[in-house]
Amino acid sequence: MLNIVLFGPPGAGKGTQSAKLIKKYGLVHLSTGDIFRANIKGGTPLGNLAKSYIDKGQLVPDEVTIKMLEAECARNPKAKGFIFDGFPRTRAQAKALDQFLKTRATAITIMLALEVAEEELRKRLVLRGKDSGRPDDQDPKVIQKRIDVYNAETMPVKDYYSAQGKYKGVKGIGTIEAIFKALCVVIDKGAPNSTAKKSASKKVVPVAKKKKATAPKRTAAKKTKKVAAKRAISKTTAVKKAKPVKKTTAKPVAKKKSTAKATKTKTAVKKATSKKIKSVGRKGR
Ligand code: AP5
Ligand code: MG
């Protein structure tokens, strides 16, 4: 089975690209946003609940969304594979999806992430809001809230799939056709987890390096001894060299000071005695 998570912020082009990908690869498109909107239109209890979150740009609670998604998957038992558009949006949803797919003896093949700058997203959604009829496209504050929620709550899902070696970012700016081609190239190459396997096999290399390093143990020991001896010698010479420097710099300064003091006191004594002698001489006169 080919199971693709089509990831990206609001307005990245998930729906646009999903429509093309399902045709080419014969997959079933599961867009949680579309399912919620269908329920809102039908006035179902699920729709009413979802509407209270969607209109504010917030995520519908995990338990509700996960149950709904699993039910939709189960409705397509003969599917060749799925494109999950707008799901998972939290780590909890990602874990639940993994567990669910495991029960069906399958797994996520790849996460394709459409990378689009925020300014472009805002432009696209405001433009679509003019005729989409989607309440969450009408208010720039709600659009911003959706982007903020994506950054805070949904971005960690990228790390979840990166850790599995399944994340692949694709530039989501350009013509719809060019982006579609780029996505197809990635899909046709296969999941990046195959590169994860390659890098895992590369990890064997250090073991071979270890062997080389551990083989000449004696020489290594001798070398360390020699190095230690050399270091010891260089330390002592360093100390020896250091001592005279200290002495020569420290003592002359001290001597200078003391000699200066001594000469000062000597001249003072001389002056005093000569004064005394003079005064004595005067007195004597
Ligand atoms: P959802 O319906 O998934 O909306 P979204 O993630 O906000 O994304 P959009 O559907 O608006 O954009 P898109 O990436 O599909 O881009 P599109 O192809 O339409 O979710 C809606 C709400 O439902 C959420 O906010 C949340 O409340 C709730 N919800 C859904 N899933 C949930 C979940 N798992 N957990 C909890 N809550 C959930 O393109 C956008 C516009 O750009 C279009 O006008 C298009 O024509 C145009 N466009 C596309 N590609 C290009 C291009 N290359 N160049 C120029 N314009 C382009
Ligand atoms: Mg969409």
Side-chain angles (χ1 to χ4, degrees):
M1 270 179 104
L2 176 62
N3 295 314
I4 299 169
V5 171
L6 194 53
F7 192 70
K14 302 184 293 290
T16 307
Q17 296 298 334
S18 291
K20 293 171 79 66
L21 291 169
I22 54 163
K23 274 187 197 166
K24 178 166 174 161
Y25 295 97
L27 306 171
V28 171
H29 180 204
L30 289 183
S31 158
T32 37
D34 287 351
I35 302 166
F36 284 137
R37 278 185 289 277
N39 275 277
I40 292 169
K41 214 176 170 185
T44 67
L46 173 66
N48 293 336
L49 177 81
K51 188 173 165 50
S52 63
Y53 292 94
I54 293 174
D55 287 357
K56 290 180 209 151
Q58 293 168 345
L59 294 184
V60 178
D62 281 341
E63 318 87 71
V64 179
T65 313
I66 292 166
K67 264 189 192 173
M68 181 186 82
L69 192 276
E70 290 180 359
E72 287 296 323
C73 275
R75 259 187 229 174
N76 295 280
K78 288 180 184 171
K80 275 170 67 185
F82 294 96
I83 288 196
F84 298 97
D85 160 4
F87 187 94
R89 262 176 150 101
T90 61
R91 282 181 76 91
Q93 288 182 14
K95 279 185 189 174
L97 181 60
D98 269 359
Q99 281 166 10
F100 175 74
L101 293 176
K102 212 174 175 184
T103 63
R104 293 170 63 114
T106 185
I108 290 300
T109 314
I110 190 168
M111 170 191 254
L112 296 170
L114 292 167
E115 297 166 344
V116 181
E118 272 193 34
E119 223 178 280
E120 174 71 11
L121 299 174
R122 281 191 284 268
K123 266 190 215 167
R124 287 184 189 179
L125 295 177
V126 168
L127 190 69
R128 187 179 62 183
K130 286 178 183 169
D131 54 13
S132 69
R134 269 178 66 165
D136 59 347
D137 281 350
Q138 308 302 317
D139 186 348
K141 277 183 192 164
V142 175
I143 289 175
Q144 190 55 50
K145 177 72 181 172
R146 285 158 65 195
I147 294 170
D148 293 345
V149 166
Y150 171 82
N151 289 331
E153 297 179 47
T154 305
M155 273 300 271
V157 178
K158 173 186 168 177
D159 297 335
Y160 181 86
Y161 287 100
S162 295
Q164 294 183 13
K166 292 179 179 176
Y167 176 86
K168 186 74 189 147
V170 174
K171 199 178 142 200
I173 293 181
T175 65
I176 289 167
E177 202 50 42
I179 297 163
F180 174 63
K181 274 185 187 164
L183 289 171
C184 293
V185 167
V186 176
I187 294 168
D188 296 342
K189 265 189 192 169
N193 61 352
S194 55
T195 51
K197 274 176 197 166
K198 273 179 203 167
S199 59
S201 61
K202 274 181 190 172
K203 278 177 189 172
V204 180
V205 176
V207 180
K209 273 185 184 173
K210 258 188 185 178
K211 272 186 182 177
K212 272 187 184 177
T214 48
K217 266 185 185 175
R218 282 184 184 176
T219 17
K222 274 181 187 176
K223 269 185 186 176
T224 45
K225 269 185 184 179
K226 274 184 183 177
V227 171
K230 270 187 184 178
R231 273 183 194 162
I233 293 161
S234 62
K235 264 189 185 178
T236 48
T237 42
V239 173
K240 273 179 189 174
K241 275 178 189 173
K243 272 181 184 173
V245 178
K246 273 183 189 173
K247 273 181 184 176
T248 46
T249 47
K251 278 192 175 175
V253 178
K255 267 182 187 175
K256 267 184 188 174
K257 272 187 183 175
S258 58
T259 39
K261 270 186 186 176
T263 33
K264 267 186 186 177
T265 42
K266 269 182 187 176
T267 40
V269 172
K270 267 185 186 178
K271 275 182 185 177
T273 31
S274 64
K275 266 185 186 178
K276 267 188 182 178
I277 292 163
K278 275 180 187 177
S279 62
V280 170
R282 273 175 204 153
K283 274 182 188 176
R285 274 180 200 170

